[in-house]
Amino acid sequence: MGILEDLGKRMVFFDGGMGTLLQENGLGPGELPELWNLTRPELIKEIHSRYRAAGADILTTNTFGANPIKLHGCGRSTEEIVAAAVALAREAAHGALVAMDIGPTGKLLRPLGDLDFEDAVSAFSRAAAAGEKAGADLILIETMSDTYECKAAVLAAKESTRLPVFVTMVVDEQGKLLTGGDIPAAAALLEGLGVDAVGLNCGFGPGQMKKFLPQMTQACSLPVIVTPNAGLPRTEGDKTVFDVKPEEFAAVMEEIAKEGAWILGGCCGTTPEHIAAVVRRCKDLSPRPIVPKNRTVVSSFARAVVFGEKPVLIGERINPTGKSRLKQALRDNDMDYLLREAITQQENGAHILDVNVGLPEIDEPALLRRAVMEIQGISDLPLQLDTSDPKAMEGAMRIYNGKPLINSVNGKAESMEAIFPLVKKYGGAVIALTLDENGIPATAQGRFEIAEKIVRTAREYGIDKKDIVFDTLAMTISAGQENAAITLEALRLIRDRLDIHTSLGVSNISFGLPQREHINAAFFTMALQNGLGAAIVNPNSAAMMDAYHAYCALSGSDEQCMDYIARYSAQKAEAAPPPAAGEISLLDAVVRGLKESAHAAALRLVETEEPLAIINTQMIPALDRVGKDFEQGVLFLPQLLMSAEAAKSAFEVIRVKMTVNGEQTKKEKIILATVKGDIHDIGKNIVKVLLENYSYDVIDLGKDVPPETVVDAAEEGGVKLVGLSALMTTTVSNMAETIRQLHERVPDCRVMVGGAVLTPEYAQQIHADAYSRDAMGSVHYAQKLFGGE
């Protein structure tokens, strides 16, 4: 049975929680479940057999953490464990399929963490290749909370195997991944990468997860997987239990199937009885047909931009053509200048940022990769990767965290042979220039015919026309009075006959003329009226933005003129250009995440102001503003951490000054630790960064920390606050034990807890003093406990 051929013809069922049954059979807190494939194979096989008897069509291997990063030091290789796991599932399958299970590494990727993107790809590749070699039928990448790590795992699976790839992710109450991505953005990335099915798992019970299903089915045209928990965890004695019983679970899963999910299963807390109940209720349902989404969409780690909803603005300022200051910044490796340009364009209304760093004397592939990494760290806008060098393009597409806009391909065979394979492999929407080996046609019909050729060729590579955006090429009217008319007619032809979105580098129309903005703004409006869907413009130009907002109001794409009113009712001044490095304040530099600008601003301030005054008037207000925006969902985790890095850079300057003055630089001590048995320290590390920025003296005990170590450190250091984190249901019992020992031996020490599997109710049950939903929650509790809020 080919799984891809079977999808859509009937409902397909995954199995349920493996860890839940292993715990019932004595898996200890922190013990590696994957080792049981070698030490207790009969039990693993029995669990698979029970799920198969319950009706599961796909058995998931006991390999959630089977990768070189998590297995480091265990004495067994990834290949050995995976081979045993696949063999056990295969023995129990009896006609069912075997999915090679791949979970997260437990680490954040650079620049947020210390795991290099290619190291993540390498680790996942070993696991995936071992799974295929051992006989797995498909790859299941699950419980992903970071789109960047998810991309690394998908690339690894596709580069090292020929197996179908399914992906499920974990979202929070707002439908966001840990690193801030929403469901449409994640779906755009994964569909672009060519996965075979997407969905959600873990985190919630079926009732809570059901509300996110419409976002998934509306965002992509792929089969959707739903594998919830059996509710939220709580404790009974020393056990973690889940409350949603099999029939209740199955009833909601039936509703989920009727709303469009094709593949059902269970995660934490579910058992063979849950799966059997789901199969009984849903096996005779007909999968709801998938309606193809003819959407042109690009995405960043955080958001998706859909073409056609209203005209899209692509900021053109990070392109050295005609910009001497940017050229110098690129030669000087002055990345802060690029970041300021990015921020200013975003603030002035850009929806996508063009990134072009091409200069003859620089290493373009290396610099483009760096620019993309840096910009996606401080901006949540999608990027347009702009280079004529295929090597630079592939390098940037590989490390880009989202589905990019690619600039560009053209009708030359050489260009299409170089770019289309990249679009197919990494995903993206591509700008297609209407020129070929014969140059730029002098007629609109000639450009239209090149567009048709590009669409035909793209189809041969498996690229749909929805992922093409045509640029009909604005040629300056100073060289030919008819140039504007030809370009506009070509826009109309492509829109009306091909039903494809268009783009233009608008300002090219006025090259060689004085006062170019007058021409640019008028042409921009004319192009929009003729079907232009996306414009590469300077969003810092008041004339261009005035034309844009007026057009949107007149064309009806600005509902009730709300954007126009918001922009002009306060008689807003002319759009601001980016500030120079010496002009930006310390507060703004920290808020915007500009590390070098923050350092420079701090150096200026310590010459004239007292360190404590700088902290109170600049640093604390900046951090509070960043924290507030993070809590309100205005700002996301990558930006939060970049602001933290900027603050850290400034604090170092202030700390040196305070040391010279003989002043105290640290506040109260706080211990942080990931509990025994848990090696996932992403959340703990984020909390550490923020607490240190608020000047607390953080003692980081690391991960997999025994309760006795935490208690000894608190007792010896006279510490009054301990923060504990845990990601896995198999390790939260160690959190309870650590709290018990702390309260017994250090009764005046308070304990705050956090982690993906924790809830306020659970924290209360295990007698924690505080529960932190996110990193800022830990700062607020510390301020409340020690004063300063």
Side-chain angles (χ1 to χ4, degrees):
M1 177 175 66
I3 180 64
L4 297 183
E5 288 73 26
D6 218 35
L7 291 177
K9 297 176 182 174
R10 65 176 181 84
M11 297 302 299
V12 173
F13 302 97
F14 265 111
D15 51 12
M18 170 65 77
T20 302
L21 300 189
L22 295 183
Q23 284 180 284
E24 287 181 5
N25 284 276
L27 180 73
E31 193 173 353
L32 287 175
E34 296 80 12
L35 291 178
W36 281 29
N37 294 311
L38 303 173
T39 60
R40 299 191 63 181
E42 289 305 317
L43 174 65
I44 302 300
K45 182 179 174 182
E46 179 195 337
I47 292 172
H48 286 315
S49 296
R50 289 177 61 194
Y51 277 120
R52 178 59 179 142
D57 299 303
I58 306 174
L59 302 180
T60 310
T61 57
N62 179 33
T63 52
F64 181 82
N67 62 67
I69 295 171
K70 280 191 171 179
L71 296 177
H72 178 72
C74 79
R76 301 284 192 168
S77 72
T78 298
E79 289 76 10
E80 182 182 13
I81 289 174
V82 169
V86 173
L88 292 170
R90 179 62 68 199
E91 289 172 18
H94 299 297
L97 300 178
V98 173
M100 170 64 200
D101 189 30
I102 293 179
T105 62
K107 290 178 171 289
L108 274 177
L109 275 62
R110 289 178 179 147
L112 305 183
D114 59 1
L115 180 61
D116 184 79
F117 181 82
E118 294 299 343
D119 289 340
V121 173
S122 177
F124 289 131
S125 292
R126 278 186 60 183
E132 182 180 49
K133 184 179 179 182
D137 298 299
L138 67 135
I139 303 288
L140 173 64
I141 298 166
E142 62 150 313
T143 322
M144 287 288 167
S145 59
D146 175 10
T147 54
Y148 208 22
E149 184 175 27
C150 202
K151 178 174 181 175
V154 172
L155 283 179
K158 286 189 160 290
E159 289 176 345
S160 59
T161 80
R162 298 175 64 84
L163 299 177
V165 179
F166 292 4
V167 179
T168 57
M169 300 165 289
V170 184
V171 296
D172 64 14
E173 296 89 342
Q174 284 75 47
K176 298 284 185 65
L177 278 69
L178 172 70
T179 47
D182 60 18
I183 290 173
L189 166 69
L190 294 171
E191 192 166 24
L193 288 170
V195 306
D196 299 289
V198 298
L200 302 171
N201 80 296
C202 204
F204 297 114
Q208 297 94 335
M209 191 171 285
K210 179 187 166 190
K211 69 178 181 180
F212 299 116
L213 181 61
Q215 292 186 49
M216 185 64 78
T217 56
Q218 290 165 17
C220 67
S221 307
L222 295 172
V224 170
I225 310 164
V226 178
T227 54
N229 291 343
L232 297 174
R234 64 180 180 81
T235 56
E236 278 185 4
D238 59 351
K239 291 184 178 179
T240 302
V241 299
F242 297 82
D243 290 330
V244 179
K245 303 304 180 189
E247 290 304 327
E248 180 186 356
F249 185 87
V252 183
M253 294 300 280
E254 182 180 2
E255 296 173 11
I256 288 173
K258 289 178 177 176
E259 292 186 12
W262 282 13
I263 308 167
L264 307 177
C267 198
C268 299
T270 59
T271 64
E273 290 72 31
H274 287 83
I275 299 304
V278 173
V279 173
R280 280 197 300 274
R281 291 194 72 128
C282 302
K283 64 182 172 60
D284 294 327
L285 297 176
S286 296
R288 200 169 80 176
I290 294 173
V291 178
K293 317 299 184 301
N294 185 30
R295 302 197 317 165
T296 301
V297 57
V298 297
S299 68
S300 66
F301 72 91
R303 66 166 83 174
V305 171
V306 181
F307 286 61
E309 294 179 349
K310 66 187 302 185
V312 173
L313 297 177
I314 305 170
E316 66 173 16
R317 297 299 298 168
I318 306 177
N319 183 326
T321 304
K323 302 179 187 68
S324 57
R325 177 64 187 89
L326 178 59
K327 289 179 180 176
Q328 192 58 48
L330 295 174
R331 294 188 188 103
D332 296 342
N333 227 1
D334 179 7
M335 206 53 61
D336 221 42
Y337 181 83
L338 271 69
L339 300 186
R340 293 197 301 276
E341 285 282 7
I343 290 169
T344 303
Q345 291 184 93
Q346 180 168 0
E347 290 177 346
N348 287 336
H351 306 123
I352 297 171
L353 298 176
D354 182 69
V355 182
N356 182 324
V357 298
L359 286 178
E361 63 272 33
I362 66 169
D363 180 354
E364 185 179 359
L367 190 57
L368 184 59
R369 282 171 62 98
R370 185 182 173 203
V372 169
M373 288 288 287
E374 297 264 359
I375 293 171
Q376 68 185 5
I378 54 94
S379 172
D380 62 351
L381 294 186
L383 301 185
Q384 173 173 277
L385 308 178
D386 186 356
T387 174
S388 58
D389 180 347
K391 181 181 177 184
M393 181 65 81
E394 178 164 18
M397 290 178 72
R398 187 172 180 83
I399 56 93
Y400 178 66
N401 188 3
K403 180 184 179 185
L405 188 57
I406 300 158
N407 193 6
S408 58
V409 71
N410 61 52
K412 295 179 181 177
E414 179 185 16
S415 174
M416 292 188 283
E417 289 168 2
I419 298 301
F420 282 151
L422 301 180
V423 176
K424 183 61 180 174
K425 178 176 180 179
Y426 296 107
V430 60
I431 300 285
L433 310 180
T434 52
L435 62 86
D436 63 10
E437 288 84 355
N438 298 314
I440 301 173
T443 65
Q445 180 62 28
R447 297 181 197 185
F448 173 77
E449 289 171 1
I450 290 176
E452 287 186 307
K453 178 176 68 174
I454 292 173
V455 170
R456 287 194 302 272
T457 308
R459 194 179 300 127
E460 294 171 4
Y461 285 87
I463 299 168
D464 193 272
K465 69 177 187 178
K466 69 181 175 61
D467 283 325
I468 302 174
V469 178
F470 278 108
D471 185 334
T472 58
L473 300 170
M475 309 293 288
T476 177
I477 56 173
S478 65
Q481 281 296 305
E482 71 285 2
N483 280 343
I486 293 170
T487 299
L488 296 176
E489 184 183 355
L491 286 178
R492 286 196 302 275
L493 287 174
I494 289 172
R495 178 193 62 183
D496 296 342
R497 296 185 186 177
L498 294 180
D499 190 24
I500 295 179
H501 295 290
T502 53
S503 175
L504 278 179
V506 174
S507 61
N508 294 337
I509 201 71
S510 63
F511 186 76
L513 294 174
Q515 299 297 318
R516 296 177 59 187
E517 271 196 341
H518 301 313
I519 299 291
N520 294 344
F523 179 66
F524 184 26
T525 304
M526 295 168 71
L528 290 169
Q529 184 63 20
N530 281 276
L532 179 64
I536 304 173
V537 298
N538 177 8
N540 306 335
S541 163
M544 299 300 285
M545 297 305 290
D546 289 347
Y548 174 78
H549 288 286
Y551 173 81
C552 289
L554 290 165
S555 66
S557 55
D558 179 3
E559 189 175 354
Q560 297 183 317
C561 302
M562 294 305 293
D563 288 346
Y564 185 89
I565 293 169
R567 180 177 177 86
Y568 296 104
S569 60
Q571 296 295 309
K572 189 174 180 179
E574 186 172 311
E583 296 173 353
I584 193 166
S585 70
L586 176 56
L587 187 149
D588 283 339
V590 171
V591 169
R592 297 177 179 188
L594 298 175
K595 184 177 178 180
E596 293 176 22
S597 292
H599 185 84
L603 284 173
R604 292 195 304 274
L605 284 173
V606 295
E607 294 298 318
T608 57
E609 297 186 25
E610 291 299 319
L612 282 177
I614 298 171
I615 291 173
N616 291 329
T617 61
Q618 299 278 329
M619 299 297 293
I620 298 301
L623 290 168
D624 285 345
R625 181 170 153 190
V626 169
K628 184 178 178 183
D629 285 349
F630 176 70
E631 290 175 328
Q632 293 177 345
V634 177
L635 180 143
F636 303 108
L637 183 61
Q639 298 157 299
L640 177 74
L641 293 182
M642 294 305 289
S643 287
E645 283 296 310
K648 184 178 178 182
S649 176
F651 263 128
E652 185 57 27
V653 175
I654 297 169
R655 186 190 64 78
V656 170
K657 182 68 173 179
M658 293 179 81
T659 302
V660 171
N661 293 352
E663 300 174 45
Q664 181 69 31
T665 60
K666 293 284 187 181
K667 297 198 291 192
E668 291 79 2
K669 295 177 182 176
I670 300 175
I671 287 175
L672 295 181
T674 301
V675 299
K676 181 181 178 181
D678 206 321
I679 62 168
H680 301 84
D681 60 355
I682 291 175
K684 184 261 297 174
N685 290 339
I686 295 169
V687 170
K688 177 185 176 185
V689 169
L690 290 190
L691 287 172
E692 286 182 336
N693 271 308
Y694 278 82
S695 297
Y696 292 106
D697 186 2
V698 176
I699 303 169
D700 183 2
L701 298 181
K703 54 193 176 185
D704 191 15
V705 184
E708 297 76 14
T709 304
V710 177
V711 176
D712 288 346
E715 196 170 40
E716 293 168 6
V719 178
K720 304 301 182 189
L721 177 60
V722 169
L724 300 175
S725 73
L727 178 69
M728 302 161 61
T729 55
T730 54
T731 59
V732 290
S733 59
N734 280 334
M735 181 177 279
E737 175 60 19
T738 306
I739 293 172
R740 188 192 67 77
Q741 291 191 26
L742 275 168
H743 285 171
E744 183 176 298
R745 288 178 50 190
V746 199
D748 60 343
C749 179
R750 298 291 176 263
V751 186
M752 59 182 176
V753 298
V757 298
L758 296 182
T759 63
E761 295 75 20
Y762 189 93
Q764 193 171 22
Q765 286 179 26
I766 60 177
H767 306 295
D769 297 293
Y771 163 77
S772 293
R773 185 176 65 85
D774 54 36
M776 279 308 299
S778 67
V779 173
H780 293 325
Y781 182 70
Q783 290 176 322
K784 181 180 177 182
L785 184 65
F786 296 125
E789 192 174 41

